[in-house]
Amino acid sequence: MAFLNDLQTVLKRNVREYGMYIALFVIMGIFAIMTDGVFISSRNISNLLNQTGYIAVLAVGMTLVIVIRHIDLSVGFLAGFLGAVAAIAMVSWKLPVIVVIPMTLGLGVLAGCLTAYLVANRGIPSFVASLGGWLIYRGAILLVTISTGTIVIPNETFNAIGNGFIPDIPDIGILPNVHKLTLLLGLLAIVLYIANEINQRRIKKQYNFEVLPINMFILKMVFISGLVAYIIWVLAGYRGISWTLVVVLVVVAIYQFVTTQTVLGRHIYAVGGNPEAAELSGISVKKIVYVVFGSMGMLSALSGILFASRLQSATTTAGALFEMDAIAAAYVGGVSAAGGVGKVIGSIIGALVMTSLTSGMNLMGIDISLQYIVRGAVLTAAVIFDVSTRRIGK
Amino acid sequence: MDTPILEMRNITKEFPGVRALDNVSFKVAEGEIHCLVGENGAGKSTLMKVLSGVYPHGEYSGEILLYGETKQFHSIRDSEQAGIAIIYQELALIPEMTVYENIFLGHEIHSGIAIDWNETIKHAGVMLEKVGLEVNPAAKVKELGVGKKQLVEIAKALSRDVKLLILDEPTSALNETDSENLLNLLRGLKRQGVTCILISHKLKEVISIADTITVLRDGATICTLSAAKGEVSEAVLIKNMVGREIENIYPPRGQRVIGDVAMEIIDWSAYDPKIGRNVLKDVNINVRAGEIVGISGLMGSGRTELARSIFGNPMGFRIKGEMRIKDSKRRINHPQEAIKYGLAYVTEDRKGDGLILIQDVKQNITLANLREIAKRGVVNNNAEVQVANEYKDSLNIKTPTVEQRVMNLSGGNQQKVSLGKWLFVKPNVLILDEPTRGIDVGAKYEIYTIMNRLVEQGMSIIMISSELPEILGMSDRVYVISSGRVTGELPVAEATQEKIMHLATN
């Protein structure tokens, strides 16, 4: 009985945080049943994660932009434009991939800093500044593709980013048809996770800080390990971990670390929570605006690379509505427009929820008109849930 | 005797933890100019907000009678309909609209469903004539100076057929000529039968214009004086305004060892480009190690501007003058540099620009000095909890854990978090702006004790306060500022509430 009581307290205290995960499970469960399991097949889950990639990286950047009380509408077409630039650099200028990718990312940072300049130095509302960018980059895509139309990218290395999977270790006879490197990496991840949790707990105890009751601690570890193991098993059953997933995981790991563990991250949330107080506490609000928009620009470039690589071409309409998907993902993931609140992981879950809806409804053959309506309803419901649990919160 | 135009009976209004008005009664006779005076926080503005329906009926206890009839105002609209108009310090005009649009905003002249602009412009002209303002009614309000804006506000009130005009500190932002014009206008309106309540800190002005003066102190009516009976003089007013004895709420300080000058500003002027005038003019102030320097001044005197101009100038004033910190000349351009040179600033408005309410106690305490607990940019979360707990204990912050969000703490405890945050930057000079505003007596005592402990350790404290007893009870030396200038410097032994009030209302 004590176990159930503990569980109840922990859940109650963190209802906001777990709400999204529960929502994701419910949505996936419903689709799994409605599609007779096709939805949770290895192939579909793998596809789902790859489709989420280019929105997920945008959502990560957008989270920070919204946290500091701004918005960036230009990211979609910026991604499309920079994807086209990358394609031209490879096809027309014959630059190697190893040069093209850093160059594109650098251009993204530059574009982000331009928006930051308008916002921080010129005092233009970010909505307007980035709406200007939205139009300009949209025109820019058309301009650079005016003579060629869609640019086909022949480079295999580049295209692997959006379509390829990590290689497998040679077949040694056991577990045929299963991606063994993926399994090994998954196992490694779980071991590292458990070691880290135990280590953190030990340090906390040294400081005499409160820790989760031991039964809850074990339950949490079992649950998360089980979840990772399941996803890894599903992925290994198809073609393993995709390069897109690797890119997204690296981005999430870096941003999660920066936002939760570093001085810079704290300063970003402080500026979002109360810009006047942050400025008076010796934080340069201007600098934070540059950092956040610069990072947003870089992630837009990354998104553009992922998308162009996935399509193996740069099209004239690439990036259309990406910004709306990214903003929706961030809000579903619990970001607050009032500023100062929102987690990177939350936005990733939000992006997964939105892509799951699209993917699941496509599998069920639901008409696109209804798909928009359902996605709109889920977005609204998520924010209502978020706003109402915020009041209960501690 | 005639029925008074307004009578407020036994008004009591409470805010969480504070009784802002305690059984106040207030009577205004028809056709008089009635002045309401008192220190900051005495309850003048609260009383007027009760009258105007900003605090609707039911949020206070007591009765409001207009022409002898009981009234219950649920909103400003109700009180306006009854013929009451309030003109606040922060003018309620819309800068981008024209003068005539502003005058008839909220009670537009219609013909059918559309606004009749021709009639509007014509009537606006009449109203402007009444207040003696010669401007084109089609000019935008933002193009007018403060004095003229004030007149537009009055024209707006008159256009509503106002019976009772209330002005809250109308001359605080005006120069002498504009002030004189305004007072003459009020005298003129009085002859036309408009009754007027005037709230003012400027006692000379009050004496020159008032028929009757009511003094409020600590949320209670102290006395009502009649000019006709010769009861009014500056000395009488000041005595009644400050009145209270300094109670024994100031903890004794140990040995006072006053050291060298820790910080000094010389011929310090600040020009605010946003409002287009100097907020500080030739200010000379210094503070020594181990000393508490009190800065006394009324609202709008430039107290907070002084603190901010010193602390890295985040409001973007154009500053002239010299700052010396421990004998070296310094030029500080951002709060970050101010912190580096050993300054700290606890703001007046802890909720507005002091704390991050949605973050927890520990994050607020470490915010200004995160690098202290970080290695290569990575914050040590465990060290952070430890630091926060140290301040929680030493400042006696009452919170279950340091993970509690600051918005859930009481005002006194929030103030201690603010203090903790700035002590963690280990400053040499601590600037406290209204350190005990809105907190209860017990927490005040604790904060005073902490201040004493800090100066005994050799810190310098600049304390800005509008509470005179606090200034006298805590300071070693007092500067009085008024209209952006230092109007007096007194050792605390020579300072009295009367003297300070005299200098502050100069």
Side-chain angles (χ1 to χ4, degrees), chain A residues 23-330:
Chain A
L24 183 61
F25 272 116
V26 170
I27 288 169
M28 294 184 98
I30 291 173
F31 283 132
I33 294 165
M34 302 292 278
T35 60
D36 295 328
V38 176
F39 183 78
I40 52 167
S41 66
S42 292
R43 189 194 162 86
N44 195 57
I45 292 290
S46 182
N47 267 335
L48 183 73
L49 291 177
N50 287 353
Q51 273 168 25
T52 315
Y54 55 87
I55 295 299
V57 292
L58 285 181
V60 168
M62 194 62 77
T63 307
L64 299 189
V65 174
I66 300 175
V67 161
I68 63 163
R69 306 181 176 193
H70 287 293
I71 195 78
D72 192 340
L73 299 176
S74 68
V75 297
F77 285 119
L78 178 60
F81 171 60
L82 291 176
V85 170
I88 291 169
M90 283 180 293
V91 175
S92 305
W93 308 339
K94 310 279 185 238
L95 292 176
V97 177
I98 197 82
V99 175
V100 169
I101 290 177
M103 180 196 80
T104 314
L105 295 179
L107 285 175
V109 172
L110 211 64
C113 287
L114 191 66
T115 317
Y117 168 77
L118 295 174
V119 172
N121 294 49
R122 296 265 141 204
I124 295 173
S126 54
F127 189 97
V128 179
S130 64
L131 187 60
W134 186 90
L135 284 165
I136 289 168
Y137 298 129
R138 180 172 204 180
I141 304 180
L142 295 176
L143 193 66
V144 295
T145 56
I146 206 161
S147 53
T148 52
T150 296
I151 305 166
V152 176
I153 302 170
N155 188 311
E156 273 176 28
T157 320
F158 185 82
N159 290 341
I161 302 171
N163 300 294
F165 292 81
I166 59 171
D168 199 359
I169 44 180
D171 203 344
I172 43 169
I174 49 165
L175 291 170
N177 301 324
V178 171
H179 198 278
K180 284 164 285 293
L181 183 59
T182 299
L183 283 187
L184 276 179
L185 286 174
L187 195 66
L188 188 67
I190 291 172
V191 170
L192 284 177
Y193 164 72
I194 291 178
N196 182 47
E197 282 284 316
I198 292 174
N199 192 30
Q200 288 296 328
R201 189 180 170 89
R202 192 178 50 81
I203 295 174
K204 280 228 161 87
K205 273 191 171 164
Q206 268 175 13
Y207 278 91
N208 283 325
F209 294 162
E210 198 196 352
V211 287
L212 276 179
I214 187 79
N215 52 3
M216 285 300 112
F217 179 67
I218 292 170
L219 181 73
K220 184 183 163 198
M221 285 202 305
V222 168
F223 182 77
I224 291 183
S225 308
L227 190 67
V228 173
Y230 174 73
I231 295 172
I232 287 295
W233 178 251
V234 168
L235 291 179
Y238 183 54
R239 293 169 64 189
I241 297 175
S242 65
W243 285 114
T244 301
L245 186 57
V246 172
V247 169
V248 172
L249 287 178
V250 169
V251 167
V252 170
I254 293 172
Y255 274 79
Q256 174 70 7
F257 178 76
V258 169
T259 51
T260 58
Q261 304 295 325
T262 66
V263 173
L264 175 64
R266 288 301 193 74
H267 285 182
I268 291 171
Y269 281 84
V271 167
N274 187 340
E276 288 83 20
E279 184 84 20
L280 283 172
S281 303
I283 297 168
S284 167
V285 174
K286 240 184 211 181
K287 189 185 109 189
I288 296 296
V289 169
Y290 271 94
V291 168
V292 169
F293 276 95
S295 106
M296 182 76 256
M298 186 191 72
L299 292 175
S300 305
L302 186 59
S303 169
I305 291 171
L306 287 172
F307 190 68
S309 148
R310 188 165 171 77
L311 296 189
Q312 311 194 358
S313 59
T315 65
T316 52
T317 55
L321 293 181
F322 283 14
E323 67 282 350
M324 291 302 156
D325 285 338
I327 293 168

Side-chain angles (χ1 to χ4, degrees), chain B residues 183-333:
Chain B
L183 296 183
N184 281 331
L185 171 65
L186 295 184
R187 290 188 186 102
L189 291 175
K190 178 177 145 186
R191 280 193 294 275
Q192 293 170 29
V194 176
T195 312
C196 187
I197 301 176
L198 179 72
I199 299 178
S200 180
H201 280 307
K202 297 187 182 166
L203 298 183
K204 289 200 173 69
E205 178 180 300
V206 166
I207 291 167
S208 83
I209 195 168
D211 298 307
T212 315
I213 300 174
T214 295
V215 182
L216 285 185
R217 189 207 310 154
D218 298 335
T221 326
I222 299 305
C223 61
T224 299
L225 308 166
S226 157
K229 291 183 198 155
E231 295 170 339
V232 176
S233 74
E234 204 171 322
V236 171
L237 285 179
I238 288 178
K239 184 167 151 276
N240 281 299
M241 280 163 71
V242 295
R244 110 201 80 164
E245 297 300 313
I246 299 183
E247 306 135 49
N248 196 13
I249 60 165
Y250 301 97
R253 176 124 48 109
Q255 209 184 0
R256 296 183 191 217
V257 188
I258 309 275
D260 296 333
V261 172
M263 195 211 63
E264 179 171 28
I265 52 174
I266 301 153
D267 295 333
W268 190 258
S269 297
Y271 175 85
D272 186 346
K274 284 187 207 94
I275 56 172
R277 66 181 165 96
N278 274 308
V279 287
L280 297 170
K281 196 92 184 94
D282 300 326
V283 172
N284 289 287
I285 278 176
N286 65 61
V287 58
R288 293 169 174 276
E291 185 183 39
I292 297 180
V293 164
I295 295 191
S296 182
L298 297 165
M299 214 179 280
S301 59
R303 305 171 308 196
T304 298
E305 288 80 357
L306 174 66
R308 300 211 169 182
S309 69
I310 293 172
F311 191 72
N313 191 22
M315 291 157 101
F317 299 142
R318 276 179 229 145
I319 292 178
K320 267 188 270 173
E322 187 182 321
M323 178 190 294
R324 305 183 76 85
I325 294 173
K326 283 190 179 161
D327 289 335
S328 0
K329 206 174 151 180
R330 298 283 185 209
R331 180 124 209 123
I332 297 179
N333 295 314

